[in-house]
Amino acid sequence: MASKSILTELSDKFNNRVAYYLVFKYAPDLLPTPCKTNDFEDFKKNYSFMEKVEKKTAEGWLRNKDVQNAVLDIKKRNYIIDLIDLYQEYKEKSKDDPKYITGFFQIKNELFKETKGDDLANDLMGMNDIPTDD
């Protein structure tokens, strides 16, 4: 079964205005039609269904507990992507410069903490041949 995009997941939970606003605000690179700037007015021009929505109204949606939980989910996903990028960067740098090894292991432990002890997952990620610091 194919996984849903963040925008599709949000559209399933909220109306399109809220879903698109959240993606615009917290993951703008995932919008189907990217905005030229991070400006709310530019966003409204790109998406006609947002035309009559005031910025203050959209910001008010952020006070809803379900919307806040969705924002946290987007932030967590962005954090994981950042960790993966940092992991790759430190992995490459630690091959030539030992000062990056400690940071590499800290990132590895944070990124793969859910798969720790899962030999199959660690094999697939090539992690069983790397010593851990715990």
Side-chain angles (χ1 to χ4, degrees):
M1 183 165 137
S3 63
K4 294 180 179 182
S5 71
I6 289 175
L7 185 56
T8 301
E9 287 179 19
L10 292 171
S11 293
D12 289 348
K13 293 178 185 176
F14 310 107
N15 66 49
N16 276 347
R17 289 177 179 175
V18 174
Y20 274 76
Y21 176 71
L22 292 177
V23 172
F24 162 73
K25 187 156 177 78
Y26 298 104
D29 54 314
L30 299 180
L31 284 170
T33 305
C35 297
K36 293 176 184 158
T37 67
N38 288 336
D39 182 62
F40 185 75
E41 293 303 316
D42 185 35
F43 170 60
K44 285 173 45 170
K45 287 176 190 170
N46 277 8
Y47 296 95
S48 59
F49 58 86
M50 292 294 293
E51 190 175 300
K52 296 185 182 191
V53 176
E54 296 298 319
K55 185 175 183 178
K56 190 172 185 172
T57 300
E59 289 172 348
W61 298 332
L62 299 174
R63 298 188 189 285
N64 177 292
K65 187 166 181 69
D66 291 333
V67 171
Q68 291 172 353
N69 287 334
V71 169
L72 286 174
D73 186 53
I74 294 169
K75 292 279 193 182
K76 286 177 188 175
R77 291 178 187 204
N78 289 339
Y79 174 70
I80 295 294
I81 290 168
D82 291 344
L83 268 181
I84 291 168
D85 291 345
L86 197 57
Y87 169 83
Q88 281 304 119
E89 182 181 335
Y90 270 63
K91 183 178 180 183
E92 291 303 313
K93 287 182 177 182
S94 68
K95 291 177 182 177
D96 298 323
D97 191 344
K99 72 180 180 186
Y100 289 97
I101 290 174
T102 301
F104 169 74
F105 285 119
Q106 290 171 340
I107 295 165
K108 178 190 90 56
N109 289 338
E110 174 68 17
L111 188 59
F112 299 115
K113 65 184 169 194
E114 291 180 12
T115 60
K116 202 175 245 182
D118 183 344
D119 289 333
L120 177 60
N122 287 336
D123 281 341
L124 292 173
M125 292 183 283
M127 299 307 297
N128 277 338
D129 57 341
I130 299 174
T132 60
D133 57 347
D134 45 302

